[in-house]
Short mmCIF file of all heavy atoms in Angstrom, two decimals:
data_model
loop_
_atom_site.label_atom_id
_atom_site.label_comp_id
_atom_site.label_asym_id
_atom_site.label_seq_id
_atom_site.Cartn_x
_atom_site.Cartn_y
_atom_site.Cartn_z
N PRO N 1 82.71 102.22 104.98
CA PRO N 1 83.22 103.49 105.50
C PRO N 1 82.15 104.25 106.20
O PRO N 1 82.46 104.87 107.24
CB PRO N 1 83.72 104.17 104.28
CG PRO N 1 84.09 102.96 103.27
CD PRO N 1 83.09 101.90 103.62
N ALA N 2 80.83 104.39 105.77
CA ALA N 2 80.00 105.12 106.42
C ALA N 2 79.64 104.63 107.77
O ALA N 2 79.29 105.39 108.75
CB ALA N 2 78.65 105.28 105.55
N PHE N 3 79.59 103.31 107.82
CA PHE N 3 79.30 102.72 109.21
C PHE N 3 80.43 102.92 110.17
O PHE N 3 80.20 103.25 111.42
CB PHE N 3 79.05 101.21 109.00
CG PHE N 3 78.88 100.45 110.22
CD1 PHE N 3 77.68 100.53 111.01
CD2 PHE N 3 79.81 99.60 110.78
CE1 PHE N 3 77.52 99.80 112.14
CE2 PHE N 3 79.71 98.88 112.12
CZ PHE N 3 78.39 99.09 112.70
N ALA N 4 81.68 102.88 109.69
CA ALA N 4 82.75 103.16 110.61
C ALA N 4 82.76 104.50 111.15
O ALA N 4 82.96 104.83 112.34
CB ALA N 4 84.18 102.98 109.76
N SER N 5 82.31 105.39 110.33
CA SER N 5 82.17 106.91 110.73
C SER N 5 81.06 106.98 111.79
O SER N 5 81.24 107.80 112.74
CB SER N 5 81.92 107.76 109.50
OG SER N 5 81.89 109.16 109.80
N LEU N 6 79.87 106.32 111.50
CA LEU N 6 78.80 106.38 112.55
C LEU N 6 79.29 105.82 113.87
O LEU N 6 78.95 106.44 114.90
CB LEU N 6 77.64 105.58 111.95
CG LEU N 6 76.34 105.35 112.95
CD1 LEU N 6 75.84 106.71 113.27
CD2 LEU N 6 75.43 104.44 112.19
N VAL N 7 79.93 104.64 113.86
CA VAL N 7 80.44 104.02 115.12
C VAL N 7 81.32 105.08 115.86
O VAL N 7 81.23 105.30 117.02
CB VAL N 7 81.25 102.72 114.80
CG1 VAL N 7 81.98 102.25 116.05
CG2 VAL N 7 80.29 101.65 114.32
N ALA N 8 82.26 105.74 115.03
CA ALA N 8 83.19 106.59 115.67
C ALA N 8 82.46 107.76 116.40
O ALA N 8 82.70 108.29 117.49
CB ALA N 8 84.17 107.14 114.62
N SER N 9 81.30 108.21 115.79
CA SER N 9 80.56 109.30 116.20
C SER N 9 79.92 109.00 117.55
O SER N 9 79.55 109.81 118.41
CB SER N 9 79.54 109.77 115.23
OG SER N 9 78.46 108.95 115.15
N ARG N 10 79.57 107.68 117.74
CA ARG N 10 78.93 107.30 119.04
C ARG N 10 79.89 106.90 120.12
O ARG N 10 79.46 106.80 121.28
CB ARG N 10 77.92 106.23 118.75
CG ARG N 10 76.84 106.59 117.80
CD ARG N 10 76.08 107.85 118.33
NE ARG N 10 74.99 108.25 117.54
CZ ARG N 10 74.90 109.32 116.73
NH1 ARG N 10 76.04 110.06 116.39
NH2 ARG N 10 73.74 109.70 116.07
N LEU N 11 81.17 106.69 119.78
CA LEU N 11 82.11 106.30 120.82
C LEU N 11 82.74 107.60 121.43
O LEU N 11 82.87 108.59 120.81
CB LEU N 11 83.31 105.60 120.19
CG LEU N 11 82.95 104.05 119.86
CD1 LEU N 11 84.10 103.45 119.08
CD2 LEU N 11 82.83 103.23 121.19
N LYS N 12 83.05 107.58 122.68
CA LYS N 12 83.76 108.69 123.31
C LYS N 12 85.19 108.55 122.82
O LYS N 12 85.64 107.52 122.22
CB LYS N 12 83.78 108.44 124.83
CG LYS N 12 82.45 108.45 125.50
CD LYS N 12 82.55 108.00 126.95
CE LYS N 12 81.06 107.97 127.62
NZ LYS N 12 81.21 107.59 129.02
N PRO N 13 85.89 109.73 122.86
CA PRO N 13 87.35 109.70 122.49
C PRO N 13 88.00 108.61 123.29
O PRO N 13 87.90 108.57 124.56
CB PRO N 13 87.78 111.17 122.75
CG PRO N 13 86.55 111.92 122.59
CD PRO N 13 85.37 111.13 123.16
N GLY N 14 88.84 107.81 122.65
CA GLY N 14 89.40 106.70 123.36
C GLY N 14 88.68 105.45 123.40
O GLY N 14 89.11 104.42 123.83
N GLY N 15 87.41 105.50 122.99
CA GLY N 15 86.57 104.34 123.04
C GLY N 15 86.94 103.27 122.05
O GLY N 15 87.71 103.57 121.06
N LEU N 16 86.61 101.99 122.32
CA LEU N 16 87.09 100.94 121.56
C LEU N 16 86.04 100.27 120.71
O LEU N 16 84.85 100.16 121.04
CB LEU N 16 87.62 99.76 122.53
CG LEU N 16 88.70 100.17 123.45
CD1 LEU N 16 88.99 98.96 124.39
CD2 LEU N 16 89.91 100.68 122.74
N PHE N 17 86.42 99.95 119.49
CA PHE N 17 85.58 99.22 118.51
C PHE N 17 86.16 97.86 118.37
O PHE N 17 87.18 97.74 117.71
CB PHE N 17 85.47 99.96 117.22
CG PHE N 17 84.57 99.44 116.15
CD1 PHE N 17 83.64 98.44 116.41
CD2 PHE N 17 84.80 99.76 114.67
CE1 PHE N 17 82.84 97.86 115.41
CE2 PHE N 17 83.90 99.25 113.89
CZ PHE N 17 82.97 98.30 114.17
N ARG N 18 85.53 96.77 118.92
CA ARG N 18 86.08 95.42 118.81
C ARG N 18 85.26 94.61 117.77
O ARG N 18 84.10 94.77 117.85
CB ARG N 18 85.94 94.71 120.11
CG ARG N 18 86.88 95.41 121.22
CD ARG N 18 86.87 94.45 122.42
NE ARG N 18 87.65 95.11 123.53
CZ ARG N 18 88.99 94.98 123.65
NH1 ARG N 18 89.64 94.30 122.76
NH2 ARG N 18 89.67 95.49 124.61
N LEU N 19 86.00 93.93 116.92
CA LEU N 19 85.35 93.18 115.90
C LEU N 19 85.95 91.74 115.92
O LEU N 19 87.17 91.53 116.32
CB LEU N 19 85.59 93.78 114.51
CG LEU N 19 85.21 95.17 114.30
CD1 LEU N 19 86.44 96.06 114.59
CD2 LEU N 19 84.64 95.46 112.98
N ALA N 20 85.16 90.78 115.35
CA ALA N 20 85.77 89.44 115.10
C ALA N 20 85.03 88.75 113.95
O ALA N 20 83.84 88.95 113.72
CB ALA N 20 85.61 88.53 116.41
N THR N 21 85.84 87.98 113.12
CA THR N 21 85.16 87.29 112.09
C THR N 21 85.91 85.98 111.88
O THR N 21 87.21 85.98 112.07
CB THR N 21 85.09 88.09 110.77
OG1 THR N 21 84.53 87.35 109.74
CG2 THR N 21 86.48 88.49 110.32
N ASP N 22 85.31 84.92 111.39
CA ASP N 22 85.94 83.70 111.00
C ASP N 22 86.06 83.54 109.52
O ASP N 22 86.13 82.33 109.05
CB ASP N 22 85.32 82.51 111.75
CG ASP N 22 83.95 82.24 111.35
OD1 ASP N 22 83.35 83.05 110.61
OD2 ASP N 22 83.49 81.12 111.63
N TRP N 23 85.80 84.54 108.76
CA TRP N 23 85.80 84.51 107.38
C TRP N 23 87.04 85.45 106.82
O TRP N 23 86.92 86.65 106.91
CB TRP N 23 84.48 85.04 106.68
CG TRP N 23 84.29 84.73 105.35
CD1 TRP N 23 84.35 85.77 104.27
CD2 TRP N 23 84.29 83.60 104.53
NE1 TRP N 23 84.23 85.24 103.03
CE2 TRP N 23 84.16 83.91 103.12
CE3 TRP N 23 84.24 82.20 104.97
CZ2 TRP N 23 84.06 82.85 102.08
CZ3 TRP N 23 84.06 81.26 103.93
CH2 TRP N 23 83.94 81.60 102.59
N VAL N 24 88.08 84.82 106.47
CA VAL N 24 89.27 85.53 106.06
C VAL N 24 89.11 86.66 105.14
O VAL N 24 89.58 87.83 105.35
CB VAL N 24 90.39 84.56 105.62
CG1 VAL N 24 91.65 85.39 105.08
CG2 VAL N 24 90.89 83.65 106.70
N PRO N 25 88.31 86.53 104.03
CA PRO N 25 88.12 87.62 103.18
C PRO N 25 87.37 88.88 103.83
O PRO N 25 87.61 89.98 103.58
CB PRO N 25 87.22 87.09 102.07
CG PRO N 25 87.61 85.65 102.00
CD PRO N 25 87.77 85.31 103.42
N TYR N 26 86.54 88.55 104.78
CA TYR N 26 85.84 89.64 105.44
C TYR N 26 86.80 90.39 106.41
O TYR N 26 86.75 91.45 106.58
CB TYR N 26 84.51 89.04 106.29
CG TYR N 26 83.61 90.13 106.61
CD1 TYR N 26 83.69 91.49 106.06
CD2 TYR N 26 82.45 89.82 107.39
CE1 TYR N 26 82.74 92.42 106.52
CE2 TYR N 26 81.53 90.83 107.81
CZ TYR N 26 81.74 92.08 107.27
OH TYR N 26 80.72 92.92 107.59
N ALA N 27 87.67 89.55 106.97
CA ALA N 27 88.67 90.13 108.00
C ALA N 27 89.47 91.09 107.14
O ALA N 27 89.81 92.16 107.59
CB ALA N 27 89.54 89.03 108.52
N GLU N 28 89.92 90.80 106.00
CA GLU N 28 90.69 91.66 105.07
C GLU N 28 89.83 92.88 104.78
O GLU N 28 90.42 93.99 104.75
CB GLU N 28 91.09 90.94 103.76
CG GLU N 28 92.07 89.72 104.05
CD GLU N 28 92.18 88.83 102.81
OE1 GLU N 28 91.46 88.98 101.96
OE2 GLU N 28 93.14 87.95 102.81
N HIS N 29 88.61 92.71 104.50
CA HIS N 29 87.71 93.80 104.16
C HIS N 29 87.64 94.78 105.43
O HIS N 29 87.75 95.98 105.31
CB HIS N 29 86.35 93.40 103.80
CG HIS N 29 85.29 94.45 103.68
ND1 HIS N 29 85.19 95.26 102.49
CD2 HIS N 29 84.32 94.78 104.48
CE1 HIS N 29 84.12 96.10 102.67
NE2 HIS N 29 83.65 95.83 103.81
N MET N 30 87.39 94.09 106.65
CA MET N 30 87.32 94.95 107.83
C MET N 30 88.54 95.81 108.00
O MET N 30 88.48 96.98 108.39
CB MET N 30 87.19 94.11 109.09
CG MET N 30 85.81 93.42 109.20
SD MET N 30 85.72 92.29 110.54
CE MET N 30 83.99 91.87 110.75
N ARG N 31 89.68 95.19 107.88
CA ARG N 31 90.96 95.95 108.08
C ARG N 31 91.08 97.02 107.16
O ARG N 31 91.59 98.09 107.40
CB ARG N 31 92.04 94.86 108.02
CG ARG N 31 93.46 95.48 108.56
CD ARG N 31 94.47 94.49 108.62
NE ARG N 31 95.69 95.20 109.27
CZ ARG N 31 96.78 94.50 109.56
NH1 ARG N 31 96.85 93.26 109.37
NH2 ARG N 31 97.90 95.15 110.16
N GLU N 32 90.76 96.76 105.86
CA GLU N 32 90.91 97.77 104.75
C GLU N 32 90.02 99.01 105.20
O GLU N 32 90.52 100.15 105.09
CB GLU N 32 90.57 97.19 103.47
CG GLU N 32 90.60 98.20 102.31
CD GLU N 32 90.19 97.59 100.99
OE1 GLU N 32 89.88 96.32 100.84
OE2 GLU N 32 89.98 98.34 100.10
N VAL N 33 88.80 98.72 105.56
CA VAL N 33 87.86 99.79 105.86
C VAL N 33 88.39 100.58 107.07
O VAL N 33 88.41 101.92 107.05
CB VAL N 33 86.44 99.40 106.09
CG1 VAL N 33 85.55 100.33 106.62
CG2 VAL N 33 85.84 98.72 104.81
N LEU N 34 88.77 99.90 108.19
CA LEU N 34 89.05 100.59 109.41
C LEU N 34 90.38 101.20 109.37
O LEU N 34 90.68 102.30 109.97
CB LEU N 34 88.88 99.63 110.55
CG LEU N 34 87.36 99.28 110.85
CD1 LEU N 34 87.17 98.08 111.69
CD2 LEU N 34 86.66 100.56 111.31
N ASP N 35 91.41 100.56 108.75
CA ASP N 35 92.70 101.31 108.67
C ASP N 35 92.66 102.57 107.77
O ASP N 35 93.38 103.41 108.05
CB ASP N 35 93.72 100.34 107.92
CG ASP N 35 94.24 99.20 108.78
OD1 ASP N 35 93.85 99.20 109.83
OD2 ASP N 35 95.06 98.36 108.22
N ALA N 36 91.59 102.65 106.94
CA ALA N 36 91.37 103.90 106.08
C ALA N 36 90.57 104.93 106.83
O ALA N 36 90.50 106.13 106.38
CB ALA N 36 90.75 103.63 104.76
N ALA N 37 89.95 104.49 107.97
CA ALA N 37 88.99 105.49 108.64
C ALA N 37 89.94 106.41 109.58
O ALA N 37 90.67 105.95 110.40
CB ALA N 37 88.10 104.72 109.61
N PRO N 38 89.83 107.79 109.22
CA PRO N 38 90.66 108.71 109.93
C PRO N 38 90.33 108.72 111.46
O PRO N 38 91.15 109.28 112.25
CB PRO N 38 90.43 109.98 109.26
CG PRO N 38 89.01 109.87 108.70
CD PRO N 38 88.92 108.39 108.33
N GLU N 39 89.18 108.31 111.89
CA GLU N 39 88.75 108.34 113.25
C GLU N 39 89.34 107.34 114.10
O GLU N 39 89.31 107.36 115.40
CB GLU N 39 87.23 108.37 113.42
CG GLU N 39 86.46 109.31 112.62
CD GLU N 39 85.98 108.73 111.26
OE1 GLU N 39 86.58 107.88 110.79
OE2 GLU N 39 85.01 109.31 110.79
N PHE N 40 90.03 106.23 113.59
CA PHE N 40 90.45 105.11 114.30
C PHE N 40 91.96 104.75 114.08
O PHE N 40 92.46 105.13 113.10
CB PHE N 40 89.66 103.88 113.81
CG PHE N 40 88.25 103.75 114.31
CD1 PHE N 40 87.21 103.98 113.37
CD2 PHE N 40 87.89 103.67 115.63
CE1 PHE N 40 85.81 103.96 113.90
CE2 PHE N 40 86.64 103.58 116.06
CZ PHE N 40 85.61 103.75 115.18
N GLU N 41 92.45 104.13 115.11
CA GLU N 41 93.81 103.48 115.02
C GLU N 41 93.74 102.15 115.64
O GLU N 41 92.98 101.95 116.63
CB GLU N 41 94.87 104.46 115.66
CG GLU N 41 94.55 104.70 117.18
CD GLU N 41 95.69 105.57 117.78
OE1 GLU N 41 96.46 106.06 117.04
OE2 GLU N 41 95.43 105.90 119.05
N GLY N 42 94.41 101.14 115.24
CA GLY N 42 94.46 99.90 115.72
C GLY N 42 94.67 98.81 114.67
O GLY N 42 95.29 99.03 113.64
N GLY N 43 94.19 97.52 114.97
CA GLY N 43 94.36 96.45 114.03
C GLY N 43 94.08 95.18 114.70
O GLY N 43 93.42 95.12 115.69
N PRO N 44 94.60 94.05 114.18
CA PRO N 44 94.43 92.71 114.69
C PRO N 44 95.08 92.55 116.08
O PRO N 44 96.07 93.13 116.38
CB PRO N 44 95.19 91.81 113.74
CG PRO N 44 95.35 92.66 112.44
CD PRO N 44 95.49 93.95 112.88
N VAL N 45 94.31 91.80 116.98
CA VAL N 45 94.76 91.55 118.29
C VAL N 45 94.44 90.15 118.71
O VAL N 45 93.68 89.57 117.91
CB VAL N 45 94.08 92.54 119.28
CG1 VAL N 45 94.35 93.99 119.05
CG2 VAL N 45 92.52 92.31 119.15
N PRO N 46 95.12 89.52 119.68
CA PRO N 46 94.75 88.31 120.26
C PRO N 46 93.31 88.31 120.76
O PRO N 46 92.72 89.40 121.06
CB PRO N 46 95.65 88.03 121.37
CG PRO N 46 96.76 88.92 121.14
CD PRO N 46 96.22 90.15 120.48
N ARG N 47 92.62 87.10 120.72
CA ARG N 47 91.30 87.11 121.37
C ARG N 47 91.35 87.65 122.80
O ARG N 47 92.01 87.19 123.62
CB ARG N 47 90.75 85.64 121.33
CG ARG N 47 89.27 85.55 121.91
CD ARG N 47 88.84 84.12 121.82
NE ARG N 47 89.56 83.18 122.73
CZ ARG N 47 89.31 83.03 124.06
NH1 ARG N 47 88.31 83.62 124.65
NH2 ARG N 47 90.04 82.22 124.77
#
């Protein structure tokens, strides 16, 4: 959560945070953290 907040502070409004992982448990963790971050909206996308 603290890292997500730091990233948001360095992005311009409308800026994108792109992530990728090939470890399913980490993908679930990423989504849990970022879905809960009030600064962001989004989710899984095609490559």
